[in-house]
Amino acid sequence: MILIAESGSSKTDWRMISPNGEVSQAKTIGLNPYYQTTDSIIEELQKNLLPSLNNQAVSEVFYYGTGVTNEEKAEIIRLAFKTIFPTIKKIEVQSDMLAAARALCGREAGIACILGTGSNSCFYDGKDITFQVPPLGFWLGDEGSGGYLGKQLVLSYLHKEMPIDIREKFEKRFGAKDRLEILDNAYQKPFPNRYFASFSKFIFDNRNHPFTFGLVKSAFDLFFEKYLLKYPDYQQYKIHFTGSVAFYYSDILRRVAIEKGFSVGVIMESPIAGLTLFHKSQLA
């Protein structure tokens, strides 16, 4: 059986391709070698993935994930799979950016973007990533992402810049937020990006309010200005997006893209379906 994984910071989508070509699926929490050790990843796989495999032998793993930025980070993931599946024949660990590019662009050249819990982008020539304006992660970047949107919302609350009507809705939903509680989640607890991204749903539910609409549009403006406008000859290629933020805020995203002079192609919530087709075609 072939195992395919597409992992963001919040969730991992799994697809299992059996020898007869049948596809099954599973979900676990997100895996990220920047925040997790090999041991903690092994624990998560044993607890929440293995039961979904029904004792079927895994021959190959194709893992795509956030945080796979170099060989050191890839090895954290690779060692976990080697431990779980000691007789495995092949383990390929790639970035979530390559997953997005393959799923969104297929065999054609284009600009692929991720807007989920975090944000990222690249130019893909139809085979490889050949140019990238590197992302800087949650604390220094991630403009346009769910984590960034949540952080801006919470900052507006703490700075008392949130309009009264939105503040009342915010406190009704989350309770009155204490500065120390937020700082604890930001600096002491694991996965601060997930914590702040959890506020994105509130923004979406109130996206027609001028304040929250402006917050989202400003975040997308920054994503284009700091990354996408720096891609050479960007006007010649379609730009594609994947991720929950791109999908659910697609109307605002398309508006910003067109304002910036981009031609928008595909916007999909998750790249896993495209990845599954990609690997199934490799078997044919």
Side-chain angles (χ1 to χ4, degrees):
M1 181 175 67
I2 294 174
L3 185 62
I4 304 168
E6 193 280 312
S7 185
S9 291
S10 297
K11 65 180 177 65
T12 304
D13 282 314
W14 303 86
R15 294 293 184 272
M16 292 76 82
I17 305 176
S18 66
N20 64 7
E22 291 185 2
V23 178
S24 54
Q25 60 185 335
K27 283 185 184 291
T28 65
I29 63 167
L31 308 175
N32 191 324
Y34 265 91
Y35 300 120
Q36 292 170 279
T37 64
T38 292
D39 287 343
S40 66
I41 292 170
I42 289 171
E43 182 180 355
E44 172 62 22
L45 296 178
Q46 287 176 329
K47 180 180 178 182
N48 294 312
L49 176 65
L50 290 185
S52 301
L53 302 183
N54 298 318
N55 296 316
Q56 295 185 71
V58 175
S59 58
E60 297 179 63
V61 170
F62 296 94
Y63 177 92
Y64 301 85
T66 188
V68 181
T69 54
N70 55 40
E71 182 56 30
E72 177 188 354
K73 300 303 180 187
E75 188 62 15
I76 292 173
I77 300 290
R78 199 177 291 116
L79 283 174
F81 283 113
K82 286 180 179 177
T83 302
I84 296 291
F85 308 116
T87 61
I88 199 165
K89 296 177 182 178
K90 180 177 182 179
I91 303 172
E92 184 177 316
V93 179
Q94 301 283 0
S95 70
D96 58 344
M97 197 66 255
L98 183 60
R102 286 177 170 174
L104 291 166
C105 302
R107 306 286 180 184
E108 296 182 359
I111 299 171
C113 305
I114 299 171
L115 288 176
T117 301
S119 63
N120 204 348
S121 63
C122 75
F123 178 79
Y124 177 72
D125 68 0
K127 183 180 179 181
D128 299 307
I129 293 172
T130 58
F131 183 85
Q132 188 173 27
V133 180
L136 298 176
F138 176 67
W139 287 119
L140 298 180
D142 269 354
E143 293 86 355
S145 70
Y148 182 87
L149 290 173
K151 185 168 61 175
Q152 298 307 114
L153 182 76
V154 170
L155 284 173
S156 73
Y157 177 83
L158 293 177
H159 290 152
K160 302 188 184 304
E161 296 169 346
M162 188 180 284
I164 292 296
D165 55 339
I166 293 294
R167 187 180 185 89
E168 288 175 351
K169 289 182 179 180
F170 182 90
E171 291 185 340
K172 182 177 180 180
R173 185 149 167 180
F174 302 110
K177 287 293 179 183
D178 177 78
R179 168 180 167 272
L180 295 180
E181 174 196 344
I182 292 171
L183 291 176
D184 186 49
N185 279 281
Y187 296 108
Q188 301 299 323
K189 294 183 179 180
F191 302 109
N193 54 345
R194 287 185 195 168
Y195 170 74
F196 285 100
S198 69
F199 293 99
S200 178
K201 180 65 165 57
F202 174 83
I203 299 172
F204 177 78
D205 291 342
N206 294 278
R207 65 192 181 281
N208 291 326
H209 190 284
F211 171 76
T212 44
F213 177 89
L215 190 152
V216 175
K217 188 177 184 301
S218 294
F220 289 162
D221 281 334
L222 278 175
F223 181 63
F224 275 82
E225 290 163 11
K226 291 187 177 295
Y227 302 96
L228 305 181
L229 287 170
K230 298 173 183 175
Y231 282 81
D233 303 318
Y234 64 83
Q235 302 96 331
Q236 298 179 21
Y237 302 95
K238 284 191 177 296
I239 186 168
H240 310 277
F241 299 87
T242 187
S244 57
V245 170
F247 185 77
Y248 287 103
Y249 296 98
S250 60
D251 54 340
I252 305 175
L253 183 59
R254 285 183 185 276
R255 173 174 169 173
V256 172
I258 292 169
E259 287 177 357
K260 304 292 184 185
F262 286 80
S263 175
V264 181
V266 177
I267 300 179
M268 62 173 66
E269 186 173 5
S270 169
I272 190 64
L275 282 177
T276 304
L277 291 174
F278 176 86
H279 287 289
K280 286 191 76 173
S281 71
Q282 299 292 96
L283 298 174

